[in-house]
Amino acid sequence: MRSLREIPPPIRVLAAVSFVATMGGSLMGPLVTLYVHEVLGRSVAVAGLVLMFQALAGIGGQMVGGAAHDRMGGRRPLIAALAAAGAICVLLALDRTWTGYVALMIGFGFVRAATMAPINAMTPAFWPGGGRRAFNALYVVRNVGFAAGAAIGGIAAQRSFALAFAVAAGVFMLAAALVAATLPQPARVLPVGRPLPAADVQGARAPWRALLALGAGTILASAVYGQWSTTVAVDMGSLGIPLSTYGLLWTLNGLVAVALQPLGNLAVRRLGPRLHRHLVLSAAMYALAFGCLLVTHRLWGFVASIGLLTAGEIFDRPAWPAVMAGLAPQGRAGAYQGLLGTMQSAGRMLGPVGGGALYDAAGPRTVWWAASSCALAAMAAYAAISGKPTRSPRRTRGFSQG
């Protein structure tokens, strides 16, 4: 209860908005490949291409959302992006043509991504001493929203994909209204773009080297994680596992992420404030997650895999924006969070098309081997973030766990 009272009111509003917006996204996210494959009759590789273009649009959305935050504050860009996402979901519910679907999903990828940079950039502005705790609070509520959305989306899609799209539209509109009614401009609390206080992680290399290492690891980890929304979904379907079960596994993902928070917090204290260690552990969990699918092709293997995947994301989701906030120059918080989103979008872009092509050409086991190998490469990249500083302490910014 004491830790809850420490959370500033604007962060609680951002948490509520993140919950609602994530629920809207998760209503649709895991169902994209299945919709393209089962309803529109395209191959898994083609479904991967749709997700690739959606992620490519997301790169633009992240950068535009971050730049808009730095220019006018985060509130107005966030409202506009959420409302646009709701409008696109309405059109998706009405249009079942192939070209219409592709165009709308690309647009959805852009506006959905445009919501992330303003939220991440406003977080340290509203809670300057929060560090990793601030981003972890958002991560927890996003997982609850993801669990709720995945369950609702799976049930709705069993009846009609159009129903899932319509529910998502209402959820995004609700999130836009919540921001408009309750969220102040960050400038009223703290100047936009103020960086996190430098502390604790003194072992960062020159900022550009840390940025490159973070980028490489994030792209690889995002590509690996994305296989659960693409190739894993199709593989489960080929085994006769129903769509509702797949949706419930994503619900398990969100619930386990919340349930494991006490253990995650204990592990964070043991790992210390050097956030690159959290990222290394996360990538190791991803490697094990796909190792489970190499060991068994039964339902319990998928359950174990998503459990390990969830354990991994407990460490990387809060650490990514916290590291980036520590690297951002003053007044550039939105742009740097947009760059982080670009890294994630690049992984989500490359993962589906690469995994889909491998799946069609060589089958699921080849995909699981490739995913495990990429996760190990991400471990190496994250480990390279640490090193002796090459700037004076006055000019080198560290990352704080908070």
Side-chain angles (χ1 to χ4, degrees):
M1 291 300 295
R2 184 179 66 85
S3 62
L4 288 176
R5 288 194 297 268
E6 291 175 354
I7 299 176
I11 296 294
R12 298 177 191 176
V13 175
L14 278 181
V17 171
S18 296
F19 168 79
V20 177
T22 304
M23 183 168 63
S26 68
L27 278 162
M28 295 171 48
L31 304 174
V32 171
T33 301
L34 295 171
Y35 184 83
V36 171
H37 186 59
E38 296 181 5
V39 176
L40 299 177
R42 264 54 177 193
S43 69
V44 179
V46 170
L49 283 173
V50 174
L51 287 172
M52 184 192 75
F53 285 118
Q54 185 184 48
L56 184 61
I59 291 175
Q62 290 278 1
M63 299 306 291
V64 169
H69 168 276
D70 292 341
R71 187 176 181 86
M72 64 183 71
R75 186 173 178 272
R76 283 185 289 169
L78 184 56
I79 293 170
L82 289 168
I88 289 174
C89 289
V90 171
L91 295 176
L92 283 167
L94 300 175
D95 188 349
R96 290 213 170 188
T97 65
W98 168 247
T99 55
Y101 178 82
V102 172
L104 289 169
M105 287 307 298
I106 291 173
F108 180 79
F110 180 90
V111 296
R112 176 77 174 88
T115 67
M116 300 307 296
I119 290 176
N120 285 341
M122 284 190 286
T123 298
F126 283 130
W127 194 2
R132 187 187 185 279
R133 288 181 301 160
F135 293 106
N136 194 66
L138 297 183
Y139 166 73
V140 172
V141 297
R142 283 169 179 161
N143 272 280
V144 177
F146 191 90
I152 296 170
I155 294 170
Q158 286 280 109
R159 298 187 177 185
S160 166
F161 279 95
L163 176 60
F165 294 144
V167 174
V171 168
F172 279 113
M173 292 299 186
L174 175 62
L178 186 60
V179 175
T182 61
L183 190 69
Q185 282 283 16
R188 298 176 185 173
V189 182
L190 194 73
V192 175
R194 175 173 171 180
L196 286 173
D200 294 331
V201 175
Q202 300 297 327
R205 296 182 186 275
W208 67 270
R209 293 182 182 176
L211 201 58
L212 287 176
L214 176 66
T218 301
I219 290 169
L220 288 167
S222 298
V224 170
Y225 189 95
Q227 298 308 312
W228 251 92
S229 295
T230 52
T231 50
V232 174
V234 176
D235 188 45
M236 290 180 66
S238 70
L239 297 175
I241 299 173
L243 179 60
S244 57
T245 300
Y246 175 70
L248 286 174
L249 285 181
W250 276 112
T251 302
L252 177 67
N253 169 265
L255 295 177
V256 169
V258 176
L260 288 182
Q261 281 303 306
L263 291 177
N265 292 336
L266 176 62
V268 164
R269 288 195 294 271
R270 292 294 181 90
L271 288 170
R274 294 177 181 264
L275 295 180
H276 73 280
R277 296 176 180 174
H278 306 184
L279 296 173
V280 169
L281 179 58
S282 169
M285 294 292 184
Y286 289 170
L288 290 173
F290 285 90
C292 285
L293 300 183
L294 288 168
V295 171
T296 180
H297 216 199
R298 298 182 179 179
L299 180 59
W300 71 265
F302 291 101
V303 173
S305 177
I306 202 165
L308 286 165
L309 197 80
T310 305
E313 71 173 279
I314 286 174
F315 293 97
D316 68 13
R317 293 306 190 272
W320 280 337
V323 170
M324 189 60 83
L327 288 171
Q330 189 168 6
R332 300 278 295 177
Y336 269 62
Q337 292 297 336
L339 180 59
L340 172 64
T342 297
M343 297 170 181
Q344 295 169 304
S345 294
R348 288 193 294 266
M349 177 182 67
L350 297 172
V353 67
L358 275 178
Y359 187 96
D360 287 341
R365 286 187 62 84
T366 303
V367 179
W368 312 155
W369 276 113
S372 296
S373 299
C374 287
L376 294 175
M379 287 179 63
Y382 288 143
I385 293 175
S386 178
K388 293 183 179 180
T390 56
R391 292 186 179 184
S392 65
R394 184 179 60 182
R395 298 188 60 192
T396 302
R397 201 185 320 278
F399 327 128
S400 173
Q401 176 181 316

